[in-house]
Structure formats: structure tokens, C-alpha cells
């Protein structure tokens, strides 16, 4: 595989915290993230949009999603 120290590995699954894919990526030196942060961000954005009526734009999302 091509995963190495210069890579990021993401898995949308958040339970288990480290999937087989993330474990292998971490062993090869990649930085890893599971889907928990994405779930948290989706919940926060949903609250802003549906409860507070705030519009969220693509450039704002890109700032939030960068780890």
C-alpha cells in the first residue's frame, strides 16, 4: 500500500474507535481519524441550520473540516 507518514487516513466508522483499516494505516505512520468528529460536526451544523436558522457556506465548512 501507499499509506505512509505523509498520509492521512479517514474511516467514517466511529465504533470501534480504530478499525482494521485505521490500525494498518497507523502502523505505516499515517495520521488517522475515525468518523466521530464528522458526526459531531454534523450535529453542530444541524443545530445551527435547523434551530438557529443560520446559513452555513462551503468555505466555512472547509475551515471546520480541516483537522
Amino acid at each position: 500500500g501507499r499509506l505512509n507518514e505523509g498520509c492521512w487516513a479517514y474511516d467514517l466508522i466511529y465504533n470501534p474507535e480504530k478499525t482494521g483499516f485505521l490500525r494498518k494505516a497507523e502502523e505505516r505512520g499515517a495520521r488517522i481519524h475515525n468518523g466521530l468528529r464528522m458526526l459531531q460536526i454534523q450535529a453542530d451544523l444541524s443545530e445551527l441550520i435547523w434551530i438557529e436558522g443560520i446559513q452555513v457556506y462551503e468555505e466555512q465548512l472547509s475551515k471546520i473540516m480541516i483537522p
Side-chain angles (χ1 to χ4, degrees):
R2 297 181 182 192
L3 288 173
N4 57 45
E5 292 178 14
C7 295
W8 282 91
Y10 289 90
D11 198 332
L12 299 180
I13 297 170
Y14 54 87
N15 188 13
E17 186 176 331
K18 283 186 187 175
T19 61
F21 168 70
L22 291 179
R23 278 195 302 277
K24 287 179 182 180
E26 188 175 47
E27 289 170 4
R28 294 179 180 177
R31 291 180 279 184
I32 63 170
H33 276 280
N34 66 20
L36 184 59
R37 181 71 180 133
M38 183 182 71
L39 179 65
Q40 293 167 333
I41 291 169
Q42 288 174 336
D44 291 344
L45 290 174
S46 293
E47 182 178 343
L48 289 174
I49 293 166
W50 294 104
I51 296 174
E52 299 182 31
I54 296 173
Q55 291 184 348
V56 180
Y57 298 98
E58 194 171 326
E59 59 269 7
Q60 293 169 309
L61 293 177
S62 65
K63 291 177 185 175
I64 294 169
M65 293 303 291
I66 295 174

